[in-house]
Amino acid sequence: MLELQGSIAVNENELNLDLTLLGGQSFRWEKLQITDNENLWKGVACNAYWELKQDTKNLHYKVYSELLSTKHDNVFYENLLKRYFRLDFNLNKNVTQWRKSHPHFDEISGNLKAVRVLDQEPLENILSFICSQNNNIKRISTMINWLCSNYGNKIGNFHSKDEYSFPTLESLIKHQNELESRLRSAKFGYRAKFIAQSVMKINEFGGYDWFEKLRTLPYNEARIELAKVPGIGFKVADCICLMSLNHLESVPIDTHIFKIAQSVYMPQLRAVKAVTPKIYEEIAEKFRQIYGAYAGWTQAVLFCSELRQFQTDQQTEKSPTKPKKKRNK
């Protein structure tokens, strides 16, 4: 087991680790309080275990992986982390534009403008969001950790916990005969069938080559292709397009975004009780009309604004309001 460490120059107003890592995009990160003034974020991404710290001008990292070699040196992992956080995306410039696009974004973005959309591995993103349906973040994390510990590779033991890479498609295919039954025994419920079937379908479509094809397709075509996988409707397909395939115009519409649309962006929908496919498309298109080619990124900011654990800073600048009940993602 080898370890590398380094720093990336990035201002804290361009990257908020709490909002980005703990806001429901990925389910493999934890925050540890080291001292009264120092926090550490630990988790697994891109087949490596990471420990991250941040000051006002830098992101500091340690990375542990069995892949570390002359071909996978510090430059390799620094670039990997830059890609994961999409640090080439000028967030402040775009936030300034989005604030001009609608007064609601201007109102809520003050404490949430450093939300970044992660660039994740498609297979992990797909299976994670199949698990996310009718579920909460804590239970999703438990499911994903079980999947990794049973079908991934052990990276090492950190902070008294074994950490594993996400399973490869090959590993899951190898265990296809037992996969659904084991997932059911692990209390994945109806998601067990969808995960087992989706693994087979992804392999049938071409596996990792298929993911690369989806990145090159126009957004609407990639979304339609993803929806052919069992357990993936248009909302999950939109999450994957946004977080794994670089289609940043993709706008997932969940309960939080639906309610924001009803109260702010499309008040004509206030009497609507459920998100039908037609309503879903109307809301997503409205966001694209307002915010443009990166509308999916604004959705991530708006989503975090509705999560109870991220509302404290906003409410200290306003008169006290009754906290909103947290809903399942």
Side-chain angles (χ1 to χ4, degrees), residues 43 51 53 67 76 96 168-169 176 188 192 194-195 225 234 240-241 244 249 285 301 304 309 313 315 319 325:
E51 293 184 353
K53 294 182 181 179
L67 297 177
F76 173 85
T96 299
T168 63
L169 183 61
Q176 60 182 288
F188 278 64
F194 288 140
I195 290 173
E225 287 297 304
F234 275 161
I240 298 158
C241 281
S244 291
E249 70 271 43
E285 189 56 36
V301 177
C304 284
Q309 68 264 36
D313 290 341
Q315 292 176 0
S319 58
K325 182 180 179 182

Side-chain angles (χ1 to χ4, degrees), residues 274-296:
V275 183
T276 64
K278 180 175 182 293
I279 294 296
Y280 185 105
E281 298 302 326
E282 288 178 359
I283 296 173
E285 189 56 36
K286 182 69 172 179
F287 275 84
R288 282 188 282 270
Q289 289 173 4
I290 295 172
Y291 294 116
Y294 304 129

Side-chain angles (χ1 to χ4, degrees), residues 100-133:
K100 295 176 181 177
S101 298
H102 199 282
H104 178 248
F105 195 93
D106 186 42
E107 177 186 354
I108 61 94
S109 65
N111 293 298
L112 295 172
K113 63 183 180 181
V115 180
R116 303 200 75 90
V117 173
L118 297 173
D119 186 357
Q120 302 180 62
E121 296 299 317
L123 180 63
E124 178 173 353
N125 201 205
I126 287 171
L127 299 190
S128 295
F129 275 84
I130 290 176
C131 290
S132 77
Q133 298 176 55

